[in-house]
Structure formats: C-alpha cells, structure tokens
Amino acid sequence: MQELMIPLHTKSEIPLYQQICEYIKTEIQCGHLRAGEKLPSSRALSKYLTVSRSTVELSYDQLVSEGYIEAVSCKGYYVCDIQGLYYPEKPSKESFSTEKKQKSVVEEKVLYDFALNGIDAQGFPYSAWQKLSRRVLGEADAEDFQLGDPCGEFGFRKAVAEYLYQARGVHCSAEQIIIGAGNDYLLMLLGTILSRDKKVIMENPTYLTAYYDFLHMGFQVETINQDKGGIDCGELEKSSGDIVYVMPSHQFPMGTVMPLNRRMALLSWAGKRAERYIIEDDYDSEFRYKGKPIPALKGFDSHDCVIYIGTFSKSIAPSIRVSYMVLPNRLMERYRERKNLFSVTVSKVDQRILELFLKEGYYERHLNKMRGIYKSKHDILLKKLKEMPDICIPFGEYAGVHMLLVFQNGLTEQEAVSLAAKEGIKVYGLSEYSILGDPKTSRSVLLGYACMEEREISDAMDVLKRVWEKRTS
C-alpha cells in the first residue's frame, strides 16, 4: 500500500471528492496503481489529505460503482483488473422511460401505489414548456407542418448529440441519431436493419416490453441469468447470440449498476466477431444520488458495436413520447440505403421545443430539480427500509426511481403482495419481470417512488413494516 499524494485545489469548481476520484482513476488507467494493490483506508487518506472522511468515502464509492476498485469486507479497498479498457476523450463539461408494462390486477381500493411508471406530477416544467411552446408556434411557418427528415430534424439531433457528449460521455454525430416516438418504435425500426436470423440475448429478469418486441418481430430470444455485476458473460460466451440487450447504468428491474470490468467483457465479446452488437438501454441514467452518473457503455465503444437508446419519457414525462437511438456508422449507412425510409414519428414542433429545452439550459435545470425531489423520496424510503433489516434488504438504491426488496424472514413475493394489497398498498412482484417467473418461489418485490409524495411513502412503509413482520404460516 502506498500513500497517495493527490494535489487538491480547494478553490476549484470541481468538488474535492471528484478530484480524488479522477486522480485515482488516472493512476489506475496509467498502470501506476496495479490490480490487487491495496488503497489507503478512508480514515488514513482523509487524515493525510486533511479532508473529511466522508469526502474520501464518496470518492471510493464512486470508484467502486465504476468498477475501478472493489471493497473487500474487513480488509479494505483494492484495485480491480481493468485490462482491455478503452479510454474515451473526456467531455468538456461534467453534468448530469420508457414505459414498463404491468400485469393488470383488479384491486378493490388502492391507497398507496408504489408504481414503477410515471413521474412526480408537480415536477413537470410547466412554465418553461409553455414559454417554449408559444415561442415555437409563434415562429412556425407552413414548412414546420410538413414531413421532415426521416431521422429527425438535424437541429434537434445535434442538440441530443451535444447532450450525450457532455452528460454521458458518448461520442457521436447528429448523423448517427434517429428520433422516434418511444423505444418500442426504435426497436421496431432496428428490427428492419438487423438480420432476423440473429439471436437476441437478454438478462433475466428483464424489461418485458423489449422482450416481447423482439419476439413479435420474429427474432430468437434467449435469456441469461444475472449475478451482482449484471449479465453473466461466461454464459454469454457459451451462447450462440449475436445481439445482447442490457441496461448497464441501472438494470430494470434488479437495479444493478454494471461495473467497469463487466462492461469491458461485454465490449470484448462484441469485438470478437463482425455483426455482433450490444443494445444499451440507458432509460434512467440521469437519476443518481451518490457521486456522479456512471458513463455510458457507448462511451467506451472502440469497436463501434454499441446501439445506444435513450428517452425523455423518464426524465420529463411518459407522455413526452420522444426517444433517440445512436447507431454504429455501418448500421446507419445500411438504414439510409433503404429505398423507403420510415417517416419520423415525432412532430417538428415537438422536436423544436425539445431542441430549445436542451440548448438553452432548461433540461439541465430540470434534471437538477428532479434529482433533488427524487433523492428526498429515495432517502425517506431507504431510511424506512433500514428500520426493517430482519424483514427485507434493499438493492438498487442510490439510482433510478425504484428499489428491489429481498425478504429475509421467509416471506414470499406472493404473500408480500397479498398482505400489502389487503392494506390498500400496491407493490410489484419481481416474478412479473422474470421469464417463466414463479411468485411462489420468488422472495422479492419492487417499489417505485417517483409518483408518491414523501408523506405517503413514510405512511405506507409504516404499514408494510407492520404487516410484513407478521409472517404467514
């Protein structure tokens, strides 16, 4: 173990934890810190750098999340093996959904709904949206109501490309982007480019809408189970798949944040054979409550094999049916070679509103506001769950707008959902998102908190604690 002489700039706009994080990351990338090497304890490093211990811990948490280091219980922090890492050029600025289908269940009365869809209704940027809508319509002419570029208006695509570069570390041009009304449409469009003899690999459990989209388009679909790092790459190597669909920033429904070494393994798998692709669904990466957002998998793509899909449905509103897809250059060329391209499914007016929303800083301010709102709800929910350690353990916290609970007291998913329903509380079983999942054997449920008020979360969790600790016979 060596001391880390980290030059900290206290007057810099960059937070101290981020300066520490970037220094250690660079040392690992350059090979100055080698795999297996132990780092100083958070107490020792904070004392050496004369900063608070929480600052160092936040830096270490971020490095663990990104897969550069690992925490070994009772031993400390160690450098991970990141061989094969591709380092993209760093963005010039550090900043910071898709609907999920649910089974229809008839309830007599629902007092509290931990819904996995939706947003905080009070968080929608009404004032800015009305202002920009009036402005766009006031400047519109007849051409704005005609069909536009099949891939989307160039100005909007350029604004999306700039946002992805700054916030997600994705290097792409406007010419690589296709705009569409929701992820379902983009997946359908993608299905017209990719050969139908390709087998699609998905994680299990997974986002079932995408699963059924692929089946309906005639693709073979195979699922592979996950471990704590996400999709099992060993099983992926054994499969005959050519396309893999993943959600590395915050997997739905498990909430897993895929570590860096697993991301590199995925990219390595794709680079071993031509016409292998990774579909990265980055549906809610904007919401992270500890550290800064994890860079997108696409940002590390040196083989140009990642198909990146993002949406404004999760960050602004589900009714804003606007998504975008970044295609590898060879796939975009293939799409443009088609004789009849699909017409864009988002109006020019809506594209222009969103373009201004991005370019004039409204989106960044909106995200900062919503992070604050959701973090407050997240913290209340997590606090309540920490009062229930003998009942359940949360997973997938500190990101997104839902958590996974795994029961420790013998309660099954079916029992937990039923007990909650009797109290007028709706929670969602993990088996709903598992291929051939069985609620009798599952011991996990999902809680979404975006749509609920803070008081409702607190009251509902008090009730759940009471009924869930009464284990059924």
Side-chain angles (χ1 to χ4, degrees):
M1 181 175 69
Q2 59 177 277
E3 295 289 355
L4 298 178
M5 300 182 63
I6 304 175
L8 298 179
H9 304 284
T10 56
K11 295 183 180 180
S12 171
E13 294 182 358
I14 301 175
L16 292 177
Y17 88 89
Q18 193 171 324
Q19 293 183 44
I20 296 171
C21 182
E22 290 300 322
Y23 178 89
I24 296 175
K25 188 187 301 185
T26 301
E27 291 294 287
I28 295 172
Q29 291 172 348
C30 295
H32 298 153
L33 289 174
R34 300 182 182 278
E37 188 169 341
K38 186 177 181 181
L39 296 178
S41 68
S42 59
R43 185 187 301 275
L45 187 57
S46 65
K47 183 177 181 180
Y48 184 72
L49 297 177
T50 63
V51 298
S52 70
R53 188 176 178 183
S54 62
T55 297
V56 176
E57 289 176 342
L58 188 56
S59 303
Y60 279 1
D61 285 342
Q62 180 70 28
L63 290 164
V64 169
S65 296
E66 294 190 30
Y68 281 92
I69 66 175
E70 62 178 342
V72 179
S73 180
C74 301
K75 291 187 177 181
Y77 294 92
Y78 293 80
V79 177
C80 292
D81 184 357
I82 58 169
Q83 287 186 355
L85 176 63
Y86 167 71
Y87 311 112
E89 185 180 334
K90 290 189 177 180
S92 59
K93 174 183 176 184
E94 295 292 343
S95 67
F96 310 69
S97 89
T98 305
E99 294 178 334
K100 311 296 181 183
K101 289 185 178 177
Q102 306 292 332
K103 293 181 180 179
S104 178
V105 180
V106 177
E107 301 284 356
E108 290 183 4
K109 187 176 182 181
V110 177
L111 300 176
Y112 305 106
D113 187 354
F114 285 95
L116 302 171
N117 299 328
I119 61 165
D120 184 298
Q122 302 304 314
F124 185 80
Y126 292 99
S127 178
W129 206 261
Q130 290 171 352
K131 176 182 175 181
L132 293 177
S133 297
R134 287 194 297 267
R135 177 174 157 190
V136 169
L137 289 173
E139 297 172 353
D141 55 28
E143 182 61 27
D144 289 309
F145 298 95
Q146 305 297 326
L147 286 175
D149 190 312
C151 294
E153 295 306 293
F154 184 80
F156 179 39
R157 289 187 285 135
K158 184 177 179 182
V160 170
E162 290 172 353
Y163 164 73
L164 291 177
Y165 174 71
Q166 294 172 353
R168 304 297 296 124
V170 173
H171 297 252
C172 67
S173 66
E175 289 80 3
Q176 289 177 263
I177 296 175
I178 297 178
I179 304 298
N183 288 20
D184 291 342
Y185 167 79
L186 293 177
L187 287 177
M188 181 272 293
L189 186 150
L190 185 61
T192 68
I193 307 173
L194 299 172
S195 172
R196 296 300 171 88
D197 62 358
K198 301 283 187 184
K199 179 184 285 187
V200 178
I201 304 296
M202 299 186 73
E203 301 155 308
N204 185 42
T206 190
Y207 174 37
L208 288 185
T209 297
Y211 174 79
Y212 287 113
D213 284 343
F214 287 120
L215 286 181
H216 294 156
M217 288 187 288
F219 286 96
Q220 280 186 284
V221 183
E222 178 183 333
T223 59
I224 290 178
N225 290 330
Q226 306 174 58
D227 58 24
K228 64 180 181 179
I231 192 167
D232 187 329
C233 285
E235 292 301 313
L236 178 62
E237 291 283 359
K238 296 175 186 177
S239 76
S240 57
D242 303 289
I243 301 165
V244 62
Y245 177 99
V246 291
M247 295 162 273
S249 293
H250 189 234
Q251 202 273 346
F252 184 87
M254 299 302 289
T256 306
V257 177
M258 187 179 289
L260 189 60
N261 57 356
R262 185 64 55 88
R263 297 180 188 218
M264 294 304 107
L266 268 179
L267 290 169
S268 175
W269 169 84
K272 289 177 181 177
R273 188 182 303 166
E275 293 298 308
R276 272 186 176 176
Y277 295 101
I278 301 168
I279 300 174
E280 178 181 14
D281 186 344
D282 210 26
Y283 73 100
D284 74 349
S285 60
E286 293 87 0
F287 301 120
R288 182 167 167 79
Y289 316 118
K290 202 172 186 179
K292 60 187 179 68
I294 305 299
L297 177 66
K298 179 67 177 175
F300 299 102
D301 181 18
S302 60
H303 303 294
D304 200 24
C305 61
V306 176
I307 300 163
Y308 180 92
I309 297 179
T311 181
F312 293 104
S313 293
K314 203 74 173 178
S315 57
I316 302 178
S319 62
I320 306 294
R321 300 297 298 157
V322 182
S323 296
Y324 47 89
M325 177 166 63
V326 181
L327 287 177
N329 286 299
R330 58 185 178 275
L331 288 184
M332 180 55 87
E333 290 174 7
R334 190 179 302 172
Y335 178 64
R336 288 194 175 277
E337 288 170 359
R338 294 174 55 93
K339 291 183 179 179
N340 296 298
L341 298 180
F342 290 104
S343 296
V344 69
T345 50
V346 180
S347 75
K348 284 186 176 181
V349 171
D350 288 337
Q351 291 183 65
R352 179 59 177 160
I353 292 171
L354 272 167
E355 177 187 343
L356 296 175
F357 197 68
L358 286 166
K359 291 173 67 174
E360 297 186 4
Y362 291 103
Y363 188 51
E364 185 174 352
R365 290 193 290 274
H366 170 70
L367 288 180
N368 288 334
K369 172 186 173 183
M370 297 312 296
R371 284 192 198 100
I373 290 174
Y374 291 146
K375 183 181 185 301
S376 182
K377 295 181 179 184
H378 163 277
D379 291 350
I380 289 172
L381 177 57
L382 191 58
K383 179 185 176 186
K384 289 294 182 179
L385 288 169
K386 287 181 177 179
E387 297 171 1
M388 305 162 58
D390 296 332
I391 300 174
C392 59
I393 296 176
F395 290 89
E397 64 270 40
Y398 304 117
V401 288
H402 83 275
M403 287 188 206
L404 172 74
L405 310 187
V406 178
F407 291 102
Q408 304 297 299
N409 63 346
L411 208 62
T412 68
E413 169 194 312
Q414 193 173 51
E415 292 167 343
V417 171
S418 177
L419 288 169
K422 289 177 181 177
E423 301 292 332
I425 302 174
K426 193 167 185 179
V427 299
Y428 298 82
L430 179 63
S431 67
E432 295 186 34
Y433 303 91
S434 299
I435 310 305
L436 303 177
D438 185 353
K440 295 179 182 178
T441 58
S442 170
R443 297 192 180 277
S444 302
V445 297
L446 300 163
L447 302 184
Y449 50 87
C451 303
M452 298 180 70
E453 296 179 5
E454 293 179 10
R455 175 189 55 79
E456 292 177 328
I457 294 172
S458 181
D459 292 347
M461 292 306 298
D462 287 340
V463 175
L464 290 178
K465 180 181 179 182
R466 172 172 55 82
V467 300
W468 280 348
E469 64 186 0
K470 295 181 178 179
R471 180 182 173 185
T472 59
S473 57

